[in-house]
Every structure is written in C-alpha cells, then in structure tokens.
C-alpha cells in the first residue's frame, strides 16, 4: 500500500531489483509470467553470497542501489543493472533467464563426435583491446545517490607489462560499494586478457543449451577447454 510505509519492503538484492525494474509497467514492461523463477531464485542467492572486505567485514557479492528516472533511457538502465551484478540476461522460448557473475560448472561436454561444420579457433586478441586500468563512476550514497567518480582501479602488474595505461570507463550507476566496484573493475580487466575464442557448429543435441551456459569443449590437443 503506497500510502502506508509499514507495508513497504526494501531490498538491495541485485537480482530482485533487476526484476523489479524489468517487470515495472513504466520501465521494463515485462510480465512475471515470462520470468524463469528457478533462475531468478538462483540469481538472488548468488547476489547474496558474502564477499570479504579489506577491513575484515563482509558484504553481499552484488548489491544494487540507485535512482531510476522515468526520463532515463531504458536500454542504459538495462545494461547498467546487468553490469552491477556482472550479469547475463537471455530469453529462451519466451522465458527470461538472469544469471549473476559467479563461477559455474559446465553443464555439458562437447566432443569431436558432436562437432558439425566449420571449426575456428582465435588465439589472440588485438593488443589495443587489452586493458589494465578502469576509470569508475559509481553511486555516492552520501550525496543523494548522485553518480560520481571513484578511485581508479589499475592492475599494476599489467600496467608494468604494457608500459602504458590502457583504460576503459565503467559507469556503475547502481553500485554504491567501492569494494563491489573494484571487483567489477577487476573482472573487466581479466575479461580483456582472455585470448582464446572458439566458433564451431554442433549437432542437434546442442539445442538444449541456452546462451550463457558453460560447456566443456574437447577437441584434438584441447586438454578440455572450458567455454562459455
């Protein structure tokens, strides 16, 4: 009941807040009937995992705090909400799946037996895509939740290797924890260092997989490459 504050609920859980936006009639405009509830519950649990802080205390792995204006761009809201939890969102057969950015086990092993068609491996990324620094903007809870600059996050070992700053920006407009912002920045740097990608066709059994599933990929000389 809007007029009765005692009936209000409050949450900083990243997955819950994502779907509050996603199903809101003025924002995401989607129906809860289209949400895979098992995936939703798992994403909520993953977001609430405890992560250590430098002072010895703990905080949720992915919290979500911020202000959304009805005049703001829906696509920017969508991508910024996903980034707050290093999340992945997919729609399969009309159902919405949300995954938090946590390690996951492979759901299937793909071998040479299941391979169909072309098989291409890329083992190098362009040097310009390698990142060693992230310039972060994040929520300032003590300044009425305005978004402002946070301390720059830099991987000093990569910076020394590269001999120069290779920076990207990250607008964390739903993150008010500097520790969480640093975790996200660290992940973005690690992602930029990944060198290997694989493109190959699979047999009909692969239709059971959904985007963002983790698979173990075996091919001659692969030693069990894990792919996403």
């Amino acid at each position: 009941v809007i007029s009765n504050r005692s009936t209000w609920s409050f949450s900083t859980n990243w997955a819950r807040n994502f779907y509050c936006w996603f199903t809101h009639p003025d924002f995401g405009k989607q129906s809860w009937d289209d949400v895979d509830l098992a995936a939703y519950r798992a994403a909520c649990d993953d977001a609430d995992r405890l992560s250590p802080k430098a002072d010895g205390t703990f905080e949720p792995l992915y919290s979500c705090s911020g202000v959304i204006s009805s005049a703001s761009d829906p696509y920017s809201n969508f991508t910024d909400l996903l980034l707050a939890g290093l999340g992945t969102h997919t729609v399969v057969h009309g159902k919405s799946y949300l995954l938090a950015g946590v390690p996951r086990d492979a759901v299937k092993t793909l071998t040479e037996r299941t391979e169909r068609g072309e098989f291409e491996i890329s083992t190098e990324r362009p040097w310009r895509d390698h990142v060693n620094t992230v310039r972060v903007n994040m929520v300032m809870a003590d300044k009425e939740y305005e978004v402002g600059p946070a301390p720059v996050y830099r991987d000093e070992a990569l910076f020394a290797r590269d001999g120069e700053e290779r920076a990207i920006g990250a607008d964390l407009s739903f993150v008010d924890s500097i520790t969480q912002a640093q975790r996200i920045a660290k992940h973005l740097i690690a992602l930029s260092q990944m060198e290997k990608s694989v493109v190959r066709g699979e047999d009909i059994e692969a239709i059971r997989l959904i985007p963002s599933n983790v698979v173990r990929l075996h091919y001659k000389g692969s030693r069990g490459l894990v792919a996403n």
Side-chain angles (χ1 to χ4, degrees):
V1 181
I2 294 177
S3 61
N4 185 354
R5 285 178 176 265
S6 66
T7 66
W8 293 9
S9 63
F10 176 80
S11 174
T12 60
N13 181 281
W14 165 75
R16 182 178 180 183
N17 286 349
F18 175 88
Y19 273 120
C20 282
W21 175 86
F22 191 74
T23 60
H24 194 283
D26 293 330
F27 297 112
K29 302 181 180 181
Q30 304 301 307
S31 169
W32 275 105
D33 292 337
D34 298 329
V35 176
D36 186 278
L37 295 181
Y40 167 60
R41 287 191 292 268
C44 286
D45 289 342
D46 287 337
D48 277 342
R49 294 187 189 186
L50 293 180
S51 179
K53 300 173 64 176
D55 62 4
T57 60
F58 293 83
E59 68 176 8
L61 186 63
Y62 298 121
S63 61
C64 177
S65 299
V67 176
I68 297 179
S69 166
S70 59
S72 58
D73 175 50
Y75 181 75
S76 294
N77 291 337
F78 176 77
T79 56
D80 289 352
L81 282 164
L82 282 180
L83 183 58
L86 290 176
T88 303
H89 178 260
T90 59
V91 177
V92 181
H93 303 308
K95 284 290 186 180
S96 165
Y97 291 80
L98 181 67
L99 297 173
V102 297
R104 299 189 300 276
D105 294 330
V107 300
K108 187 177 180 61
T109 298
L110 305 177
T111 67
E112 290 177 311
R113 181 185 63 81
T114 66
E115 180 187 340
R116 300 291 184 273
E118 297 183 0
F119 181 25
E120 178 182 339
I121 302 177
S122 175
T123 57
E124 291 187 10
R125 296 181 63 145
W127 186 250
R128 65 181 179 274
D129 292 342
H130 290 200
V131 172
N132 56 42
T133 303
V134 179
R135 300 188 178 279
V136 174
N137 289 318
M138 59 177 286
V139 174
M140 305 297 173
D142 59 343
K143 296 182 179 179
E144 298 184 348
Y145 287 84
E146 293 183 358
V147 176
V152 173
Y153 183 87
R154 174 175 291 141
D155 186 307
E156 295 297 344
L158 292 177
F159 180 77
R161 182 201 68 182
D162 298 338
E164 63 179 357
E165 181 182 282
R166 297 179 179 273
I168 59 171
D171 291 323
L172 304 180
S173 55
F174 297 105
V175 175
D176 66 354
S177 161
I178 186 61
T179 310
Q180 181 179 342
Q182 290 173 343
R183 285 197 301 273
I184 293 172
K186 182 177 180 180
H187 173 84
L188 295 176
I189 290 175
L191 195 63
S192 79
Q193 304 298 315
M194 291 184 175
E195 297 287 354
K196 186 172 290 188
S197 63
V198 177
V199 178
R200 65 179 247 182
E202 292 295 324
D203 67 10
I204 192 65
E205 291 183 10
I207 201 171
R208 299 180 181 178
L209 298 172
I210 66 172
S212 75
N213 274 159
V214 176
V215 298
R216 185 170 296 278
L217 183 61
H218 280 277
Y219 59 92
K220 188 175 294 184
S222 70
R223 296 182 181 179
L225 174 69
V226 177
N228 189 338

